[in-house]
Amino acid sequence: MKQTLSLLALFLLSAGVIHAQNWPQFRGPNTQGHSTETNLPLKWSATENIAWKTALPGESWSSPIVWGNHVFVTTATDGGVTCRVIALDRKTGKIVWNTEVFKQTIRRKEGRNSYATPTPATDGRLVYVCFGDGSYAALDFKGRVVWTNRDYPFYGQHGLGTALLLHDGLLIMARDGSSDGEDKKIGWQIPWDKSYVVALDAKTGKQRWKALRGLSRISHGTPAIWKAPDGRAQVISEAGDVLQGFDLKTGARLWTSEVIGEGKVPSLVLGEGVLGDGMAFTAGGWGGKESIKAFRLGGAGELKESNLVWEQKKGMPKVPSMIYVKPYLFAITDGGVATCMNSGTGELLWQQRVGGNFSASPVAAEGRIYFVGDNGETTVIKAGATFEVLAKNSLDETVQASPAISQGQIFIRTERHLFAIGRK
């Protein structure tokens, strides 16, 4: 009998390990904010249902990533000059190592940004990071620097805010900055042709391809991967004024759509239309041109707005990314208004004020949406066509980083700490 119970326990433990999901980059495995985890915490406070809480040095708004029993974050100390990568034990929250990778050159940034905003990425072998001046590094899981690349210095009026995308051995990043010359409006308020998307070889840090955008303006969104009907993978990336598709292997620019607006922060969201076709959902625009738009993916060349499916002018977020939970598209504005739309038509299904201000991008799991506010309060709603608040949970600390979900826990980085929420 004891042997049977032991075997059963081993089986259950093994099953739990098999189904546990890593959170290897910004907004999870597919960069879309979705988790397949179950039995996640619904309610917590700063002192209740907390597995651990660890103080972090420096200042950074990069999000945590998780692989196995490792949690990784980046930070910048010494006023933003010293760039560091920190590994924590997922079970205990203990800092395993804290490695300085290099000193960086301080450039201009907005007050809501930091000098270590790009969220890192990992493939389970190396951890890949990028900091405010555009410099890259890769470290092994023991905290040793494997390579650095400082060939892509960055300047933008807002600072560097986009995250790293890791896919198929490529480290992909959008570089949508602006001119550091005498006229600072160039690339920021005036379109220029210097923005690009770059892909590095994850093993070596060497450039695999670099794709120029053409005329565009500042943006901070993280690219996403879309598999076209012909089976080829495309890098889908938005900048100020453009939404574009690039060939994953070569970087060739395949198509460009027009999306007028500069200073775009939300990362694009991928989903499906009424007919099940691939869609990209964008948010951006200023001066009365604010809107959420849905574009049909694919095509070739200069598409302008020929692949625009719908536009919704209510509920546009300026900073938080949206989230798609079939067949709905959810958004939270910077001022705390939550919106649910029909993803196929853009029809507004509901719009409700949840209160507070928001910077973090939401995540979805178990039919729930988790909205994390700047004041550290997480509003959990039902992911459905009717508005239903399931819980409100406060950590009483400032938050701008997006949460991570892995192995039954939710990881939230505040201004001073990293929290692991859920069972120990």
Side-chain angles (χ1 to χ4, degrees), residues 65-138:
I65 60 171
V66 187
W67 189 282
N69 286 326
H70 291 79
V71 183
F72 300 102
V73 293
T74 60
T75 192
T77 58
D78 304 322
V81 172
T82 303
C83 301
R84 312 191 71 89
V85 184
I86 301 172
L88 300 94
D89 185 289
R90 184 190 59 81
K91 295 181 179 180
T92 66
K94 178 183 177 182
I95 292 180
V96 180
W97 47 261
N98 180 344
T99 299
E100 176 184 333
V101 291
F102 41 61
K103 306 286 188 185
Q104 70 175 336
T105 302
I106 297 301
R107 311 300 297 272
R108 190 189 188 282
K109 69 173 183 64
E110 287 295 309
R112 292 175 70 181
N113 207 344
S114 74
Y115 294 113
T117 295
T119 295
T122 183
D123 52 13
R125 185 180 69 90
L126 298 178
V127 184
Y128 308 97
V129 298
C130 185
F131 290 87
D133 73 349
S135 299
Y136 296 92

Side-chain angles (χ1 to χ4, degrees), residues 267-325:
S267 295
L268 63 90
V269 173
L270 302 182
E272 293 181 355
V274 175
L275 302 178
D277 46 345
M279 302 272 280
F281 306 101
T282 69
W286 299 89
K289 297 182 179 180
E290 297 87 351
S291 71
I292 297 167
K293 292 182 177 181
F295 290 85
R296 183 173 293 106
L297 290 168
E302 298 292 331
L303 302 178
K304 297 292 184 179
E305 289 190 335
S306 63
N307 58 339
L308 177 64
V309 179
W310 57 258
E311 179 179 16
Q312 172 59 255
K313 295 187 177 182
K314 294 182 178 180
M316 189 207 84
K318 292 183 178 179
V319 175
S321 304
M322 299 180 290
I323 194 161
Y324 168 80
V325 181

Side-chain angles (χ1 to χ4, degrees), residues 95 101 156 166 176 191 229-231 299 314 328 332 341 351 354 370 383:
I95 292 180
V101 291
L166 183 63
D176 297 302
D230 63 6
K314 294 182 178 180
Y328 310 115
I332 185 82
M341 292 157 279
Q351 192 169 63
V354 301
Y370 293 78

Side-chain angles (χ1 to χ4, degrees), residues 308-363:
L308 177 64
V309 179
W310 57 258
E311 179 179 16
Q312 172 59 255
K313 295 187 177 182
K314 294 182 178 180
M316 189 207 84
K318 292 183 178 179
V319 175
S321 304
M322 299 180 290
I323 194 161
Y324 168 80
V325 181
K326 188 178 181 178
Y328 310 115
L329 181 67
F330 296 89
I332 185 82
T333 68
D334 301 35
V337 176
T339 301
C340 175
M341 292 157 279
N342 181 311
S343 66
T345 64
E347 176 191 1
L348 199 67
L349 301 180
W350 56 255
Q351 192 169 63
Q352 296 287 335
R353 181 173 295 279
V354 301
N357 297 310
F358 289 78
S359 300
S361 296
V363 293

